[in-house]
Amino acid sequence: MTDQLIIFDTTLRDGEQSPGASMTREEKIRIAKALERLKVDVIEAGFPAASEGDFESVQAVANTIKDSVVCGLARALEKDLDRAAKALSSAKQFRIHTFIATSPIHMKNKLRMEPEQVVEMAVKAVKYARRFTDNVEFSPEDAGRSDPDFLCRILEAVIDAGATTLNIPDTVGYGFPGEFGPMIGQLIERIPNSHKAIFSVHCHNDLGLAVANSLSAVLNGARQIECTINGLGERAGNASLEEVVMAVKTRKDLFPCQPDVNTREILNCSRLVSSVTGFPVQPNKAIVGANAFAHESGIHQDGVLKNRETYEIMQAEDVGWTANRMVLGKHSGRNAFRARMAELGEEFETEEDLNRTFARFKALADKKHEIFDDDLKALISSAVSEEVNEVVKLVSLHVCTETGEIPEAKIVLSVDGKEQSAVGHGSGAVDATFSAIEKIVNSQSQLLLYSVNNITSGTDAQGKVTVRLEKEGKVVNGKGAHTDIVIASAKAYLNTLNRLYGGGLRQHPQGVV
């Protein structure tokens, strides 16, 4: 049994299944690079058979990442496994992760298969995957509600077939730490060849117990945890990487294994994923929330000033918290800009990319007196976001609000290269702006979310707006940032429309046929 806890990050796959969290290929590459700097062991890049876009994204991550293992998900079908192998073929190190449901309710109602057929299909899939790599992971979907005897039988069979990692998922977040952890221990004890594979867990957070269940599993013999940045994932999400890692590192007295993770990159990863997906981190979120290391109580403040350990069990610097210092201004040059962006983990592939982003920086510096690191990161996110096929672009916007009068917005858009204008009215400046946009595009979509967050402090701070639209079952997020919150809102709405009509969507893996 290894003394290393393997961190398997599935932000790009399971995290992306969260409604509205779909990512473009460029966004996936940015996050994958951040995860590589974090030194996660395995990056599950996606589900190649889900769509052509997902295949290309997995392929792009495989081409980019050198230090982490790149993984692709595949159902226990030869066509899925072929697709995964092809997408991953250029990776320096890769893993194929195949799965099939094993709970009675799933086998009967979803697969409509007998248990013997499921075992046969699982064994066949693992053997087929071994043609491409000796790094094969198998997951019995909905293991938490599966019959223990059947679970032992199928896991023993797939180990014999060549599976090197066995992942036990609590697919619906039904387990409790007192039962889920011991279940892992019992599987390891009962399966004769269990010593030939690493046991892993993938816990969902429907009851808020994903991290607790994962840690209980480690105490019972699991040596891999599947998790996501910020706990991102469908429904209530997955086990949070930052919480899992820091819990194990903080309580070394309890855990017999440790992750080999660069924890100082945790906060950067958290902010990047939040920026890309548009899902803000709650202030009281453990480890990465704005208040995670804040003390307001006088008693707490006094204690911390006398001895930090009185009320802090971790050092904020260990997870990446530092002063958000101003580093650049309107007189800063291109080389200084490039150097600082490199320090923040942002590299430019071409001089054209550098020049385009530098121009954005100069424009921002003319509007905003102080430029902070978070402003610089937002520049990159905005640039990548706007690289979506822009069918609709903002040309100009004029908004009038006056006490006692109905707000009015006059907007000019470029639609497929042709300028169109409209006037809209609403309950406020943003509502009027969205009304004017819809008069031109008539998207017939439903607004599910409108969220505003400040990127930094001060009245001249950039506002970061997230808009979520739904149309015919497709849910898409868009983002916009600007020192004028109404313009940021317009940009976010247009970015969402461009994603809705210009790609960036993916199918849910369980819905692929």
Side-chain angles (χ1 to χ4, degrees):
M1 188 174 290
T2 178
D3 60 359
Q4 180 189 354
L5 178 59
I6 298 168
I7 300 299
F8 178 112
D9 183 274
T10 184
T11 303
L12 300 180
R13 199 277 298 173
D14 199 334
E16 194 195 22
Q17 289 175 204
S18 183
S22 61
M23 309 169 197
T24 64
R25 179 175 59 184
E26 290 72 22
E27 289 169 339
K28 278 197 169 188
I29 292 173
R30 287 185 70 207
I31 292 175
K33 287 180 177 178
L35 293 171
E36 187 175 37
R37 291 192 296 272
L38 183 62
K39 293 181 65 177
V40 302
D41 300 286
V42 185
I43 299 173
E44 189 167 49
F47 186 83
S51 67
E52 186 62 31
D54 224 37
F55 175 87
E56 292 175 356
S57 293
V58 174
Q59 191 174 57
V61 172
N63 289 336
T64 303
I65 299 304
K66 305 303 178 188
D67 297 330
S68 301
V69 175
V70 181
C71 179
L73 183 70
R75 291 170 302 174
L77 299 172
E78 289 187 5
K79 64 177 183 178
D80 278 29
L81 296 164
D82 284 334
R83 198 72 172 146
K86 186 175 181 181
L88 295 165
S89 60
S90 62
K92 186 176 180 181
Q93 310 170 77
F94 74 86
R95 173 185 296 184
I96 292 178
H97 180 190
T98 187
F99 71 97
I100 192 169
T102 55
S103 66
I105 190 171
H106 276 239
M107 289 190 291
K108 179 181 178 180
N109 297 311
K110 186 178 76 172
L111 299 179
R112 297 180 181 177
M113 295 171 63
E114 294 298 322
E116 291 74 16
Q117 294 174 294
V118 172
V119 174
E120 180 182 354
M121 196 169 178
V123 168
K124 183 179 178 182
V126 170
K127 287 182 176 179
Y128 193 80
R130 288 282 303 207
R131 297 184 183 185
F132 307 108
T133 178
D134 59 2
N135 192 342
V136 177
E137 177 171 332
F138 173 77
S139 289
E141 185 187 7
D142 202 22
R145 296 190 296 178
S146 298
D147 175 70
D149 292 336
F150 179 66
L151 208 51
C152 288
R153 176 186 166 194
I154 193 170
L155 292 176
E156 180 181 357
V158 295
I159 293 174
D160 282 340
T164 51
T165 300
L166 300 181
N167 177 56
I168 313 303
D170 182 18
T171 305
V172 294
Y174 186 70
F176 264 63
E179 62 182 5
F180 186 76
M183 181 185 75
I184 301 300
Q186 290 163 17
L187 290 174
I188 294 173
E189 183 179 344
R190 290 183 59 189
I191 298 171
N193 53 2
S194 63
H195 62 285
K196 295 182 180 180
I198 291 173
F199 276 72
S200 168
V201 290
H202 178 118
C203 298
H204 278 265
N205 205 40
D206 298 71
L207 294 176
L209 296 169
V211 170
N213 282 329
S214 299
L215 296 177
S216 178
V218 173
L219 292 173
N220 283 273
R223 287 298 178 266
Q224 175 177 287
I225 293 181
E226 304 199 355
C227 43
T228 62
I229 299 296
N230 299 336
L232 187 68
E234 56 184 327
R235 303 191 314 278
N238 292 272
S240 163
L241 181 148
E242 56 275 9
E243 294 175 24
V244 163
V245 168
M246 294 313 296
V248 176
K249 281 189 168 291
T250 302
R251 295 304 307 270
K252 291 180 181 179
D253 57 317
L254 289 180
F255 291 93
C257 54
Q258 286 294 309
D260 183 22
V261 171
N262 179 11
T263 61
R264 289 181 177 269
E265 290 294 327
I266 284 177
L267 185 62
N268 279 337
C269 282
S270 170
R271 288 178 169 176
L272 175 59
V273 170
S274 177
S275 174
V276 166
T277 60
F279 287 30
V281 175
Q282 66 194 60
N284 63 328
K285 169 77 165 64
I287 316 299
V288 294
N291 293 343
F293 294 91
H295 302 276
E296 185 171 339
S297 164
I299 295 175
H300 286 211
Q301 290 172 342
D302 181 63
V304 169
L305 288 171
K306 291 175 179 175
N307 186 327
R308 181 190 59 80
E309 293 182 0
T310 55
Y311 287 101
E312 287 188 359
I313 59 174
M314 299 168 283
Q315 293 191 66
E317 295 81 5
D318 287 345
V319 296
W321 285 100
T322 57
N324 187 22
R325 57 194 176 92
M326 185 187 74
V327 292
L328 296 172
K330 64 188 298 182
H331 300 297
S332 298
R334 185 178 280 97
N335 288 336
F337 175 77
R338 187 207 301 262
R340 184 56 193 153
M341 294 302 276
E343 290 175 13
L344 295 174
E346 300 290 355
E347 301 283 352
F348 298 100
E349 294 185 5
T350 66
E351 284 296 312
E352 183 181 349
D353 290 338
L354 169 63
N355 292 337
R356 184 167 55 247
T357 310
F358 183 67
R360 289 172 178 267
F361 161 72
K362 284 291 192 179
L364 177 62
D366 284 335
K367 299 184 183 76
K368 194 173 186 292
H369 180 62
E370 295 180 325
I371 306 296
F372 296 95
D373 287 351
D374 285 346
D375 290 312
L376 299 177
K377 293 175 184 176
L379 288 175
I380 295 291
S381 293
S382 295
V384 172
S385 181
E386 290 177 14
E387 284 175 6
V388 174
N389 181 24
E390 287 193 288
V391 178
V392 187
K393 298 180 182 180
L394 177 65
V395 176
S396 67
L397 174 63
H398 174 81
V399 178
C400 180
T401 60
E402 184 179 349
T403 305
E405 299 294 332
I406 297 175
E408 179 181 270
K410 298 178 181 178
I411 197 164
V412 179
L413 303 178
S414 172
V415 183
D416 286 328
K418 184 178 180 180
E419 289 192 2
Q420 298 183 41
S421 61
V423 176
H425 298 85
S427 59
V430 173
D431 190 36
T433 299
F434 287 2
S435 174
I437 291 173
E438 279 298 329
K439 284 189 176 181
I440 296 174
V441 301
N442 189 29
S443 71
Q444 297 182 355
S445 58
Q446 181 182 358
L447 179 65
L448 300 182
L449 173 72
Y450 171 75
S451 172
V452 182
N453 292 278
N454 59 313
I455 293 175
T456 57
S457 59
T459 56
D460 64 346
Q462 287 193 90
K464 180 173 64 177
V465 176
T466 300
V467 169
R468 184 178 303 160
L469 296 177
E470 184 271 335
K471 182 178 181 181
E472 298 175 355
K474 297 178 180 179
V475 180
V476 183
N477 270 359
K479 301 174 289 293
H482 199 275
T483 52
D484 185 319
I485 201 64
V486 181
I487 295 177
S489 300
K491 292 173 70 174
Y493 198 90
L494 294 175
N495 181 240
T496 314
L497 290 174
N498 283 315
R499 286 172 178 262
L500 196 60
Y501 293 106
L505 294 170
R506 69 192 298 276
Q507 291 177 280
H508 190 294
Q510 303 298 339
V512 181
V513 294

